[in-house]
Amino acid sequence: MKRPKIRELGEAIRALVKGPYTVKFPYAPSPAAAKFRGIMAIDEVKCIGCSACVEVCPSKAREVQDDKDKRIRTLIYHQERCIYCGQCVDYCPTDALKHTQEYDIAQLTKDGYETKTEFELILCDECGEVIAPKTQLKWIAKKLGELAYDNPTLWLILSKELGTIEPRFIGEAPPSHLKVSPYRSGHLRLLCPRCRRSTYLHEIWGY
């Protein structure tokens, strides 16, 4: 048996007086550094469902699912895939994502690793394709201010929210008797950019 070195003797004496050097985690909390990038947290009030986080995530930890029949967009965060790079935090336009100080995600089952957030979808009245979540359109309109009224889609969303327009013409084709004046009826619908361009060309030039 070798004789203990001076350093080991010093550590042993300090451990007898001050207790062991190792932390008591997981039985006692072990706080992380101030800028530690831990488990992601989402502020559902700020999130607008734009899916920018999905586009920039390199590990595919974020996923978007659009259900056109139910008009629901679901954003899914796969916590077990996350590499905590912070790209989603940097590119979130509303600062709805942030890192927490939590880092212990070990558990015996797969339950609880997915976080889902749902949003109401706005679909094109002409082709049925997804335009954007309603929360995203409202956020864009707020950023534009009075300029939002130059865009029929944003104007309809704001008018419906404020109750200044009858909702019976929103989300459906205009009645046949309104087609007598196509320019006043065809473009005042919720349309995707492609269908709006086609509608304008048809109403103005007859194409």
Side-chain angles (χ1 to χ4, degrees):
M1 181 177 179
K2 296 183 179 180
R3 296 180 180 179
K5 298 180 182 179
I6 301 299
R7 182 174 63 85
E8 281 82 354
L9 281 174
E11 291 179 357
I13 294 173
R14 283 193 294 271
L16 289 174
V17 177
K18 297 182 179 181
Y21 178 76
T22 55
V23 296
K24 296 181 180 180
F25 181 82
Y27 303 103
S30 179
K35 295 184 178 181
F36 180 79
R37 295 189 295 203
I39 297 175
M40 300 297 304
I42 181 171
D43 188 335
E44 296 186 2
V45 176
K46 292 183 178 181
C47 184
I48 57 176
C50 66
S51 73
C53 55
V54 178
E55 297 294 330
V56 300
C57 181
S59 62
K60 308 299 180 183
R62 296 192 176 274
E63 179 185 359
V64 59
Q65 295 179 353
D66 290 338
D67 189 334
K68 296 181 183 179
D69 295 331
K70 296 182 179 179
R71 293 174 178 260
I72 293 295
R73 166 170 287 184
T74 305
L75 289 182
I76 306 173
Y77 171 48
H78 301 280
Q79 185 174 301
E80 75 281 3
R81 301 180 190 172
C82 186
I83 59 175
Y84 309 103
C85 63
Q87 290 293 304
C88 56
V89 177
D90 293 338
Y91 285 94
C92 180
T94 60
D95 296 326
L97 298 171
K98 67 176 182 179
H99 290 283
T100 66
Q101 295 289 297
E102 300 180 27
Y103 54 86
D104 182 21
I105 62 173
Q107 58 186 39
L108 298 177
T109 65
K110 295 181 179 180
D111 300 332
Y113 277 116
E114 287 186 353
T115 302
K116 297 183 178 181
T117 312
E118 294 185 346
F119 304 87
E120 178 185 352
L121 272 181
I122 301 298
L123 305 181
C124 177
D125 293 343
E126 187 69 24
C127 66
E129 289 300 316
V130 174
I131 298 177
K134 185 178 181 180
T135 47
Q136 183 179 358
L137 294 177
K138 289 170 61 178
W139 178 79
I140 294 173
K142 184 178 179 181
K143 296 287 285 186
L144 291 175
E146 60 184 16
L147 295 178
Y149 292 96
D150 290 337
N151 184 287
T153 298
L154 296 178
W155 174 76
L156 287 171
I157 292 295
L158 289 175
S159 299
K160 184 179 180 181
E161 193 72 19
L162 296 174
T164 57
I165 189 174
E166 295 186 25
R168 61 194 180 99
F169 294 150
I170 300 180
E172 61 184 35
S176 58
H177 69 277
L178 292 181
K179 293 183 180 180
V180 176
S181 179
Y183 185 72
R184 294 183 180 275
S185 61
H187 79 291
L188 288 180
R189 290 187 292 162
L190 297 173
L191 300 175
C192 65
R194 184 182 62 180
C195 291
R196 185 164 300 286
R197 179 176 181 273
S198 299
T199 300
Y200 280 153
L201 289 175
H202 175 74
E203 294 176 344
I204 297 176
W205 302 104
Y207 294 150

